[in-house]
Amino acid sequence: MASRVGILALQGGFEAHAKILRALGAEPREVRVPDHLEGLDALIIPGGESTVMTLGIEREQLAAPLRDLIARGTPVLGTCAGMIMLDRDHLGLLDVRAERNAFGRQLRSFEADIELNGIDGGPLRAVFIRAPWISERGEGVSVLAELDGHPVAVRQGNVIAVAFHPELAGEPRLHELLLGLDRAPAEPA
Ligand code: GLN
């Protein structure tokens, strides 16, 4: 049976993720209310605007069910604003502090080729749009990639977060990694 992968779809760029998941044979499901989290094998929190996403999560009372799902070991990938949503100051599922707009605002949108620990086949094409970087992290968090000396891809248990948009570059390898993760209890953040 195809993996059912939820994509938080309150706001932001969920369609490009869905397209990559379909190409990999998974079944994407847009998540807008808590019921949509039932029976998911994995979850993606996409890019967008973390302030707007925070309001949507409050409005739909999604914080507690999202925390439960991820604490049960469901693999999750956060991209850009998704990385911010996972940090200590937001959902608290990743023991890091993500600094918003760390590369600067609109003018600092750029593409880069990034070597990622654990991903074979050469560097990933990564699109950075008003991207965060990790300014603080706990011991349980491993850095998968850095740019300009700052972590831009991290992992803690089954929680993976990247500061960039792999989906906008048509880059499927992080989604493949997500689909290949076993459901195991995530280490507490
Ligand atoms: N700057 C946005 C924020 O702080 C994130 C941008 C993105 O997801 N591309 O939420």
Side-chain angles (χ1 to χ4, degrees):
M1 200 177 68
S3 294
R4 275 168 302 187
V5 183
I7 309 172
L8 191 65
L10 296 168
Q11 184 264 339
F14 43 87
E15 191 43 49
H17 283 291
K19 199 171 153 195
I20 290 188
L21 290 169
R22 276 187 221 107
L24 292 172
E27 191 188 299
R29 184 201 292 168
E30 294 179 7
V31 171
R32 296 199 164 81
V33 294
D35 278 357
H36 296 166
L37 295 171
E38 281 306 309
L40 292 181
D41 298 308
L43 178 78
I44 293 177
I45 306 185
E49 197 52 49
S50 52
T51 46
V52 181
M53 243 184 254
T54 300
L55 293 175
I57 286 173
E58 272 173 28
R59 188 186 62 233
E60 303 299 341
Q61 304 195 334
L62 271 159
L66 278 171
R67 285 196 191 100
D68 286 351
L69 181 86
I70 298 169
R72 284 202 303 272
T74 307
V76 56
L77 170 65
T79 61
C80 201
M83 172 188 257
I84 298 168
M85 296 313 302
L86 288 164
D87 87 349
R88 290 175 187 157
D89 296 332
H90 296 82
L91 290 169
L93 290 160
L94 194 55
D95 187 17
V96 302
R97 182 153 286 133
E99 187 175 327
R100 296 184 60 209
N101 302 311
F103 291 94
R105 289 194 166 269
Q106 208 68 34
L107 280 176
R108 284 289 286 158
S109 295
F110 57 93
E111 296 191 20
D113 291 315
I114 306 262
E115 284 285 356
L116 227 117
N117 238 339
I119 299 253
D120 298 329
L124 270 84
R125 190 77 184 152
V127 181
F128 289 79
I129 305 170
R130 291 175 296 114
W133 65 44
I134 298 295
S135 54
E136 285 173 40
R137 67 189 161 90
E139 278 175 12
V141 178
S142 36
V143 174
L144 305 180
E146 290 191 349
L147 188 65
D148 296 350
H150 301 279
V152 292
V154 290
R155 176 169 176 180
Q156 181 178 15
N158 270 352
V159 181
I160 299 171
V162 299
F164 49 86
H165 292 266
E167 78 289 1
L168 293 183
E171 167 56 67
R173 283 174 288 171
L174 278 162
H175 299 72
E176 251 169 334
L177 177 65
L178 181 74
L179 294 173
L181 292 178
D182 289 331
R183 294 179 63 128
E187 285 157 42

